[in-house]
Amino acid sequence: MRRGPQGAVPCCGAWRPSEQTCPGGVRCRRLGCRARSEAPSAVAQASAAPSSAAPQAPAAPAAIRWSDCATKTYPTLQCGTVKVPLDHARPEGRRITLALSRVPHTAKSPLGPLLVNPGGPGGSGLSLAGHVAAALPKEVASRYDVIGFDPRGVGRSEPALDCRPGHFTAVRPDTLPLTPAVERANRERATAFATACGERHGDLLPYLDTRSAARDLDVIRAALGAPRISYLGYSYGTYLGAVYAKLFPERVRRLALDSAVDPDGVWYDSNLAQDYAFEDRHRAFLAWVAKNDAVYGLGADPATVEGAWSRMRAAVAAEPAGKTVGAAELEDTFLPGGYYDGYWPRLATAFAAYAKDGESGPLVAAYRALAESDASGDNGYSVYTAVQCRDAAWPRTWNQWRADTWRVHAKAPFLAWNNTWYNAPCASWPVPPLTPPDVTNTKLPPALILQATGDAATPYEGAVSLHRKLRGSSLVVEEGGGNHGVTLGGNACLDRHLARYLADGTVPRGSGSGEADATCAALPEPKPAAKGAAPDASERAAGQALHGLLPRRG
């Protein structure tokens, strides 16, 4: 669609507000063509003054009023809210509300707040505060106010985004566009999501970006009355933390970054890199199934198991399992296995039941447990797209998306097209992109980066890149590990490094001969599910708890 000044949409031959809704959600008057001098739409106004503008000095935020919101799992959890400017360049303008959680310190010598973020973008961090406080050694956790938060647009923060309810309702078109009709159906679906987001949330979209979210963190810091914060971020949360540190290096006490985003790949290139890494993890899963052929009976050779996988995919593409799991849903169901191998027993059980016995029940149950999107998932995806599409430029020519994806698909067929359609709304996003900040930082205290060498969602090279950009940082590597999110999930070696760092700022220092300053052995692969046991039974309770709180995309 042709776009007018500052991203406005043509309507009635001009660009001006009114009560009638035009394509793209912009409103217009049917009054001749004097409109160019009238007030532009909300999207146009915001696009003309993006949130990268230099912020004005905000008024001091009100102190947070905490109330009890304890659960059985987190008995000391408290909840509160804080108001932040929608546009940090106009702090006296419209304000929005962020939802917070807290596990308060109990030690006599506190270290201030420790803000935690699970990633996404679009992940809720309210429950993560409880997990972090419980999983850290008591002598460390007791010195912090562990603060969780729902970033702008997420969860209990207000307003919360939901661009197109039911966008992931099964059964979706096959992700593999082998015919023009299938490609057209997927493109129309992605475009419909972008259009709906502009129509429903056009006033918010220009302010949903990582830089704005990082400035929110500083409002939270001020509302907590703390001169400095410590921070633990997973996945996308590492990028959010790095951007905060770039904006406010003097306000960082500790910066712990687990499973690091490559700051040079934001965001199109990072998604292409993901595809190759997830292919490796998918093949590791198939090899694990082959190794446990005595349990699953799908073949003792990985190539044989891969053949069974391909036949299963073709079968559900032709006739969705349980009228629910088509090819797209099948990929969504097995994708979490690339994030966390603790899901492998459940996935292998469902795979074997369908491939050997034609039973759909376990496959549908795995989809419901690991991939089905509810209202919370719709919200998370809405924020994910809003932030990633706004943060940085994406190709606007579909031919580039198509060519790049077929090129990647040739070597990484498991996720390439699925991932492309997941991000395809950015090809027609209704607000223009910003320029990502350079997170290179020479002003920080030593940061701690923790990374598995086989991480698929944020490949290892990204952690090395971030390590080089944060002067004085230390990189701790889980050698041979493939999970995404590696601390406070059961690896005692990694957890000791994190606890020591949060306690007194200690970081390991390598010899300088390699990229890593310290290495930890990976956890052993999961055991196959015993006959009659729950399909996701695992000895790794901490890992199950952590990965239940981390978004399965991003």
Side-chain angles (χ1 to χ4, degrees), residues 159-230:
L161 263 66
D162 191 345
C163 294
R164 192 170 183 244
H167 183 70
F168 286 97
T169 299
V171 176
R172 310 197 311 274
D174 192 337
T175 58
L176 193 59
L178 295 178
T179 67
V182 172
E183 182 170 351
R184 183 168 56 251
N186 279 295
R187 285 195 65 189
E188 289 174 351
R189 184 172 165 273
T191 301
F193 185 89
T195 300
C197 227
E199 291 174 348
R200 292 170 68 98
H201 302 295
D203 58 332
L204 301 175
L205 294 186
Y207 308 106
L208 289 164
D209 62 276
T210 300
R211 199 183 270 107
S212 293
R215 294 195 183 282
D216 289 346
L217 298 188
D218 206 55
V219 177
I220 294 172
R221 176 203 59 78
L224 293 168
R228 293 188 293 168
I229 63 168
S230 296

Side-chain angles (χ1 to χ4, degrees), residues 139-476:
E139 64 272 16
V140 177
S142 65
R143 300 186 68 190
Y144 284 99
D145 289 322
V146 184
I147 308 292
F149 60 97
D150 280 355
R152 53 176 56 203
V154 175
R156 295 185 189 174
S157 292
E158 297 177 352
L161 263 66
D162 191 345
C163 294
R164 192 170 183 244
H167 183 70
F168 286 97
T169 299
V171 176
R172 310 197 311 274
D174 192 337
T175 58
L176 193 59
L178 295 178
T179 67
V182 172
E183 182 170 351
R184 183 168 56 251
N186 279 295
R187 285 195 65 189
E188 289 174 351
R189 184 172 165 273
T191 301
F193 185 89
T195 300
C197 227
E199 291 174 348
R200 292 170 68 98
H201 302 295
D203 58 332
L204 301 175
L205 294 186
Y207 308 106
L208 289 164
D209 62 276
T210 300
R211 199 183 270 107
S212 293
R215 294 195 183 282
D216 289 346
L217 298 188
D218 206 55
V219 177
I220 294 172
R221 176 203 59 78
L224 293 168
R228 293 188 293 168
I229 63 168
S230 296
Y231 179 90
L232 169 62
Y234 292 88
S235 189
Y236 164 78
T238 66
Y239 183 61
L240 176 60
V243 173
Y244 177 81
K246 179 68 173 184
L247 295 174
F248 307 104
E250 73 284 358
R251 296 174 188 170
V252 175
R253 180 190 293 271
R254 312 265 194 269
L255 185 68
L257 307 174
D258 183 326
S259 305
V261 165
D262 185 349
D264 291 329
V266 174
W267 289 109
Y268 184 73
D269 289 343
S270 287
N271 278 280
L272 295 177
Q274 273 189 345
D275 297 340
Y276 294 108
F278 271 110
E279 185 70 23
D280 291 342
R281 289 304 290 157
H282 181 61
R283 292 183 181 278
F285 164 70
L286 298 177
W288 180 85
V289 173
K291 189 190 314 185
N292 291 287
D293 183 52
V295 177
Y296 300 114
L298 289 167
D301 178 67
T304 303
V305 179
E306 184 177 4
W309 163 267
S310 298
R311 290 190 295 274
M312 176 171 67
R313 191 193 185 284
V316 299
E319 183 178 350
K323 299 181 179 180
T324 302
V325 180
E329 290 76 25
L330 183 75
E331 292 164 349
D332 291 352
T333 301
F334 281 76
L335 177 63
Y339 284 85
Y340 176 54
D341 61 13
Y343 297 132
W344 287 4
R346 172 188 279 275
L347 294 172
T349 298
F351 181 8
Y354 184 87
K356 291 198 313 177
D357 304 320
E359 294 182 13
S360 296
L363 194 59
V364 173
Y367 164 73
R368 302 259 189 241
L370 298 178
E372 187 174 36
S373 185
D374 55 11
S376 174
D378 288 349
N379 167 246
Y381 178 66
S382 296
V383 177
Y384 170 93
T385 51
V387 172
Q388 293 219 349
C389 298
R390 177 65 165 155
D391 261 359
W394 293 71
R396 301 294 283 194
T397 303
W398 182 249
N399 285 342
Q400 182 177 345
W401 291 72
R402 180 192 291 115
D404 287 344
T405 307
W406 278 122
R407 172 177 52 80
V408 174
H409 175 86
K411 294 184 177 180
F414 170 63
L415 192 64
W417 274 106
N418 185 297
N419 207 16
T420 285
W421 297 125
Y422 195 80
N423 292 284
C426 293
S428 54
W429 201 243
V431 295
L434 301 172
T435 299
D438 179 1
V439 302
T440 300
N441 207 319
T442 61
K443 301 178 181 179
L444 281 176
L448 182 66
I449 303 168
L450 306 109
Q451 183 80 23
T453 55
D455 186 349
T458 54
Y460 175 73
E461 293 75 15
V464 174
S465 175
L466 185 61
H467 178 34
R468 290 170 178 162
K469 289 178 182 295
L470 304 184
R471 190 178 71 180
S473 64
S474 180
L475 176 61
V476 178

